[in-house]
Amino acid sequence: VYPTHVGRNDQLLKEAAELTLRGVTVDIDVWSDDLVETLKKFVSFGGDIHHVTISTDASGPSPTNLYQQMKEVMRELAWPLEK
């Protein structure tokens, strides 16, 4: 099981954070421009960022949006790319 789109609301994100503590990998898509805030919430819910992938949605924003949001995460949260 590989839950995706888990950043769509706080309840899903909280459940996803709990799943990562059991070793389950979850995916956050960048449908909107709020990856920084979504990851902050995910971490505040106790989620393990080593079990998260970030992706684009096929019918949504382009891969450029993913790239821009990842740069923002590294800048705003001071996270290195490998984190």
Side-chain angles (χ1 to χ4, degrees):
V1 175
Y2 187 26
T4 187
H5 299 87
V6 300
R8 297 288 170 103
N9 64 57
D10 287 352
Q11 184 59 39
L12 285 174
L13 195 58
K14 186 174 183 179
E15 291 174 12
E18 292 170 3
L19 284 173
T20 64
L21 299 179
R22 292 194 244 161
V24 176
T25 298
V26 300
D27 182 71
I28 297 171
D29 65 300
V30 292
W31 181 259
S32 57
D33 291 329
D34 61 354
L35 183 58
V36 169
E37 292 305 314
T38 300
L39 287 174
K40 283 181 183 178
K41 286 181 188 179
F42 179 80
V43 169
S44 77
F45 292 146
D48 181 351
I49 61 167
H50 296 99
H51 290 286
V52 174
T53 59
I54 310 296
S55 66
T56 61
D57 195 314
S59 63
S62 72
T64 302
N65 184 347
L66 172 63
Y67 174 70
Q68 294 300 326
Q69 288 198 58
M70 291 300 293
K71 285 188 346 185
E72 187 176 334
V73 165
M74 290 184 292
R75 184 179 59 248
E76 295 285 324
L77 301 179
W79 287 1
L81 181 58
E82 59 273 8
K83 186 173 183 179

